[in-house]
Amino acid sequence: MKLLFATLLLCSLLLSSSFLEPASAGSCKTNIDDASFCDGKCSTRCQKAGVVDRCLKYCGICCEECKCVPSGTYGNKHECPCYRDKRSSKGKPKCP
């Protein structure tokens, strides 16, 4: 019985470790990469905004926190749930 339990435990550990993604030094982004990523995505997102500087400001804040920006100039917020769900203190959507 103990041998069966030990075998099952070992198999489950091996299986679970195969689903984990190995971490490497090259897989982490630096703050410089994040800033350029956010700048590019937010400039695309805000190109048709009425108040571009305000759009860029809030898009940049949301991008830094969520690490993603929905595609296009409007909508598509389902692509980034964190970006979609951020709210201002008044309960309105924070991210453009």
Side-chain angles (χ1 to χ4, degrees):
M1 183 68 174
K2 288 182 182 179
L3 182 61
L4 178 65
F5 178 76
T7 305
L8 288 174
L9 181 63
L10 183 62
C11 288
S12 65
L13 286 174
L14 288 172
L15 254 158
S16 64
S17 68
S18 67
F19 291 114
L20 297 175
E21 187 175 314
S24 66
S27 66
C28 296
K29 285 187 171 183
T30 62
N31 289 338
I32 296 170
D33 291 343
D34 288 342
S36 62
F37 169 79
C38 290
D39 289 346
K41 290 288 193 176
C42 288
S43 64
T44 301
R45 181 87 179 160
C46 296
Q47 68 186 1
K48 293 184 179 179
V51 186
V52 175
D53 57 337
R54 187 180 304 164
C55 180
L56 288 171
K57 175 185 174 183
Y58 288 109
C59 179
I61 291 170
C62 294
C63 178
E64 286 179 16
E65 292 177 14
C66 297
K67 307 290 187 233
C68 65
V69 175
S71 62
T73 56
Y74 184 79
N76 300 323
K77 289 188 177 182
H78 64 280
E79 296 174 352
C80 185
C82 171
Y83 192 96
R84 176 193 64 210
D85 297 338
K86 286 213 165 296
R87 300 284 174 187
S88 68
S89 60
K90 296 178 182 178
K92 293 184 178 183
K94 183 176 188 172
C95 306

